[in-house]
Amino acid sequence: IAGTPINARQAKVLSRLLDGLNSKLTARKWAAIARCSPDTALRDLNDLVANGVLYKSVAGGRSTSYALSDTADDDDSPLTDTLPIPGAG
């Protein structure tokens, strides 16, 4: 994930996520935080999912939400099987 190029909108919303956004991140919420169109928000989200920065929830449609891949604690994360387990062998 380090070295993944991100734009100013992505940096702004990711910073908000890292600061502890208290609700699910959706494309609509992204558009409101970044002050961009819903289409631009979706392109930003899809770019970050493709680069492994975020992962998409299994819910679809308007229920689709996104979370940081390296902090995910459920089986929806693409990194669940590849993250090292602290203290393991």
Side-chain angles (χ1 to χ4, degrees):
I1 296 174
T4 301
I6 59 173
N7 62 42
R9 289 181 311 276
Q10 292 169 331
K12 180 178 183 177
V13 181
L14 289 174
S15 174
R16 183 94 178 258
L17 261 177
L18 292 170
D19 286 342
L21 184 66
N22 292 328
S23 59
K24 292 183 178 183
L25 179 64
T26 62
R28 178 179 289 216
K29 197 168 292 182
W30 183 285
I33 294 169
R35 296 183 183 213
C36 64
S37 74
D39 289 339
T40 298
L42 193 56
R43 283 191 293 270
D44 283 347
L45 286 163
N46 287 334
D47 181 49
L48 292 171
V49 168
N51 286 317
V53 177
L54 298 177
Y55 76 95
K56 189 182 335 185
S57 70
V58 294
R62 290 185 290 171
S63 298
T64 303
S65 63
Y66 301 83
L68 292 169
S69 291
D70 60 346
T71 60
D73 60 358
D74 61 22
D75 294 334
D76 294 337
S77 171
L79 300 179
T80 300
D81 295 332
T82 59
L83 288 174
I85 299 170

